Amino acid sequence: METYIIKPLKTEETASVKHFSEKFAQTKKLHICSGAEKVGKTALSIKLVHCLVKENTGIKPIFISLDDTAAYWQNKIEEYTKVIIFRYHYKEKTSLTLQDILNILKSELLQKQNNFVVVDGIDKHKGASSQDDFESLLIYLVGFVKEKQLNVFITTRKSGIPLAHPFLKKAQQDNLIKQWSLERAEYLGGDIKEFGDTRLKIGCIESS
C-alpha cells in the first residue's frame, strides 16, 4: 500500500500530484478512486490529467464527467497550467445511462488513438445502484485496459466495489485493478500537517 498526502482542492499544481502521476503514466490498469462526497476526487482526476498532458505530449485523454463540479475545477486549474483537456460534461447527469457511457467510449476509442480514459463520478449514472450494471461497466473497462493497453481512471462514492464476477476476480489477480482511496482526516497530527491535507492510499482493491 502506497500512501501520499496531497491537496487535491488546491488549484495550483502541486509536487505531490506530479510525483505519483509520473509513476501512474507507466501503468496499464483500471484505477478506481473512491471517497466521500467533496473529498476532492474530481479535482484530483483533472489535476492528474493536466500533469500527464503537460509532462507528456503523447498523452491523449478522454474525460467523461458526471459530476457537476468538473467544469469549475477544469477552469480553475487551467488558470495555472494552461492545458486544455478533451472533456464530455453532462449537466443532466442523472439522464446518462450505462449504455450512453459505453457508446461514448466505443466511439472515441475506435476513432482516435487515445491512451488515457477518465470516467468521473461513475456512480452518478442512471441505474448505477444496480450491482450488475456496475459490474458490467467494470468488465468493459478492464477489457479495454487489456485490449488497448491504456490507463482507465474512474471516481466513485461507492466504498465497496463489486468484484464477484470471475472476470473481475481474474483481473484483480493479474494486477489489472488498482484501488485509490481518498480520505480527509478531521484533525492535525501524524502525517496530516495542514488543513486541506488529504490522505491518498493506493493499493490492491478489496472485493465487496
Side-chain angles (χ1 to χ4, degrees):
M1 179 72 69
E2 302 172 47
T3 301
Y4 301 91
I5 304 301
I6 64 174
K7 299 181 188 298
L9 300 180
K10 187 175 181 180
T11 53
E12 301 95 321
E13 185 174 299
T14 54
S16 59
V17 174
K18 286 186 65 177
H19 174 71
F20 64 77
S21 68
E22 293 173 359
K23 183 185 297 186
F24 172 85
Q26 300 171 8
T27 67
K28 298 293 185 292
K29 302 180 189 294
L30 169 62
H31 303 263
I32 304 175
C33 180
S34 62
E37 189 79 29
K38 300 189 184 304
V39 74
K41 300 182 297 297
T42 296
L44 173 60
S45 65
I46 292 177
K47 290 182 79 167
L48 183 60
V49 172
H50 277 264
C51 281
L52 290 171
V53 172
K54 187 175 180 181
E55 299 299 322
N56 185 349
T57 56
I59 298 293
K60 300 175 182 178
I62 298 174
F63 193 99
I64 302 173
S65 183
L66 285 75
D67 192 293
D68 53 14
T69 65
Y72 168 81
W73 284 110
Q74 179 173 333
N75 292 336
K76 292 298 291 183
I77 292 170
E78 280 173 0
E79 293 177 10
Y80 296 91
T81 63
K82 307 301 182 186
V83 176
I84 306 298
I85 64 173
F86 180 75
R87 177 171 61 90
Y88 282 96
H89 178 60
Y90 287 86
K91 294 181 179 178
E92 299 297 330
K93 56 182 178 293
T94 55
S95 65
L96 194 67
T97 67
L98 169 64
Q99 193 57 51
D100 291 332
I101 296 171
L102 295 182
N103 288 341
I104 291 171
L105 290 174
K106 288 177 182 177
S107 174
E108 292 300 326
L109 289 170
L110 286 174
Q111 295 178 23
K112 301 179 181 179
Q113 296 300 310
N114 299 96
N115 49 25
F116 182 35
V117 175
V118 177
V119 186
D120 174 46
I122 191 61
D123 58 309
K124 296 182 180 181
H125 78 77
K126 188 176 182 180
S129 58
S130 165
Q131 178 164 317
D132 289 342
D133 279 358
F134 207 80
E135 274 194 341
S136 296
L137 181 57
L138 294 182
I139 290 169
Y140 181 84
L141 294 176
V142 171
F144 262 111
V145 169
K146 295 176 67 175
E147 178 186 349
K148 303 289 187 180
Q149 289 294 291
L150 48 73
N151 269 318
V152 178
F153 188 85
I154 70 173
T155 73
T156 175
R157 294 171 298 177
K158 286 178 177 283
S159 56
I161 307 299
L163 288 173
H165 193 282
F167 181 89
L168 295 176
K169 286 185 176 181
K170 181 65 165 58
Q172 184 184 7
Q173 293 170 357
D174 293 342
N175 197 27
L176 292 173
I177 301 177
K178 189 73 77 174
Q179 171 72 62
W180 296 41
S181 175
L182 270 182
E183 54 185 35
R184 184 172 298 127
E186 297 180 353
Y187 61 91
L188 297 178
D191 53 2
I192 303 298
K193 305 298 184 185
E194 300 178 3
F195 286 105
D197 283 353
T198 302
R199 188 179 291 114
L200 169 65
K201 295 180 179 179
I202 304 177
C204 294
I205 192 167
E206 296 181 0
S207 59
S208 59

